C-alpha cells in the first residue's frame, strides 16, 4: 500500500511548483525589460544623430525630415511606456515570488512538524503494543529488576 503524503507535503510541493513558475516569469520580464532599455537607448542615439539642417531647403525636405523625427519621438514615447509597464510588472512579479517563497517555507515547516508528530504517534503506539510482562511469568530476580524500573512492588 503506497504511503499517503500528508496535506502539508502536498501543499509544499504545490508551492514549489508555483514558485518556480513565478521565478521563470520574473526572469522573462527582466529579459524583456533589458531588451526594451536597449531599444530605448538606440532610439535616443538615433534621435541624437538626426541632422539639424539649418541651410535653406525646400518645403518637401523639411516635411520629410520632420516626419522622420516625429516617428522617432513616437517610438521613444512608446518604448518609454513599455519600459515603465515592464518595470511595474517586474516589481509585482517579485512581490508574488516573495509571497510564494514564504508560503512554501511555511508549508514545508508544517509538513516536517506533521512528520515528527506522526513518528511520535507511531513510537507511542509501538510502546503501547509491546506486551508488558506479568509478574506471574517472571522469576524472582526479574521481579526485582522490574520493581526498580517501574512502580510494581514485589509481593
Amino acid at each position: 500500500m503506497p504511503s499517503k503524503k500528508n496535506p502539508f507535503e502536498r501543499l509544499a510541493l504545490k508551492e514549489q511548483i508555483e514558485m518556480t513558475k513565478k521565478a521563470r516569469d520574473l526572469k522573462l520580464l527582466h529579459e524583456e525589460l533589458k531588451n526594451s532599455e536597449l531599444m530605448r537607448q538606440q532610439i535616443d542615439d538615433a534621435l541624437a544623430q538626426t541632422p539639424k539642417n539649418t541651410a535653406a531647403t525646400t518645403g518637401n525636405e523639411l516635411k520629410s525630415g520632420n516626419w522622420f523625427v516625429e516617428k522617432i519621438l513616437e517610438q521613444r514615447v512608446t518604448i518609454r511606456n513599455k519600459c515603465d509597464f515592464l518595470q511595474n510588472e517586474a516589481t509585482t512579479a517579485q512581490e508574488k515570488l516573495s509571497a510564494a517563497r514564504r508560503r512554501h517555507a511555511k508549508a514545508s515547516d508544517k509538513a516536517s512538524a506533521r512528520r515528527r508528530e506522526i513518528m511520535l504517534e507511531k513510537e507511542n503506539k509501538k510502546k503501547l503494543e509491546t506486551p508488558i510482562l506479568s509478574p506471574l511469568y517472571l522469576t524472582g530476580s526479574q521481579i526485582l529488576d522490574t520493581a526498580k524500573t517501574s512502580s510494581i512492588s514485589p509481593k
Side-chain angles (χ1 to χ4, degrees):
M1 170 183 240
S3 65
K4 283 183 145 183
K5 289 191 176 200
N6 76 49
F8 294 114
E9 287 178 355
R10 290 176 187 234
L11 182 62
L13 290 173
K14 179 182 172 188
E15 293 298 334
Q16 175 87 27
I17 292 169
E18 183 180 341
M19 196 170 58
T20 55
K21 286 179 182 177
K22 291 190 184 304
R24 186 183 61 231
D25 292 344
L26 183 62
K27 182 181 176 186
L28 288 173
L29 279 172
H30 280 297
E31 288 175 2
E32 185 67 28
L33 182 62
K34 188 174 110 178
N35 291 339
S36 296
E37 289 291 336
L38 181 62
M39 180 70 78
R40 182 184 203 176
Q41 183 64 36
Q42 290 174 349
I43 289 173
D44 288 341
D45 290 345
L47 191 59
Q49 291 177 0
T50 55
K52 305 281 192 266
N53 195 356
T54 58
T57 57
T58 63
N60 284 339
E61 290 175 351
L62 289 174
K63 186 177 179 182
S64 66
N66 193 25
W67 177 85
F68 180 70
V69 171
E70 283 180 18
K71 290 297 178 184
I72 291 175
L73 289 174
E74 285 177 14
Q75 288 295 319
R76 185 178 179 195
V77 169
T78 303
I79 202 72
R80 183 181 303 138
N81 291 338
K82 183 178 180 180
C83 288
D84 291 343
F85 172 76
L86 288 173
Q87 188 65 40
N88 291 338
E89 286 295 312
T91 303
T92 304
Q94 184 65 41
E95 291 170 358
K96 288 181 180 180
L97 179 61
S98 297
R101 283 184 178 149
R102 283 191 302 272
R103 286 192 309 268
H104 173 68
K106 189 175 180 181
S108 296
D109 290 345
K110 285 187 177 184
S112 62
R114 182 65 183 142
R115 273 194 302 272
R116 280 192 300 270
E117 287 176 12
I118 290 171
M119 286 179 57
L120 287 174
E121 288 174 2
K122 284 182 181 179
E123 288 176 9
N124 289 338
K125 186 177 178 182
K126 188 175 181 180
K127 284 181 184 177
L128 292 175
E129 288 177 352
T130 56
I132 299 176
L133 298 177
S134 172
L136 299 175
Y137 300 111
L138 297 177
T139 62
S141 62
Q142 290 175 332
I143 292 174
L144 292 176
D145 289 340
T146 57
K148 290 178 186 175
T149 60
S150 67
S151 62
I152 301 174
S153 60
K155 293 185 180 180

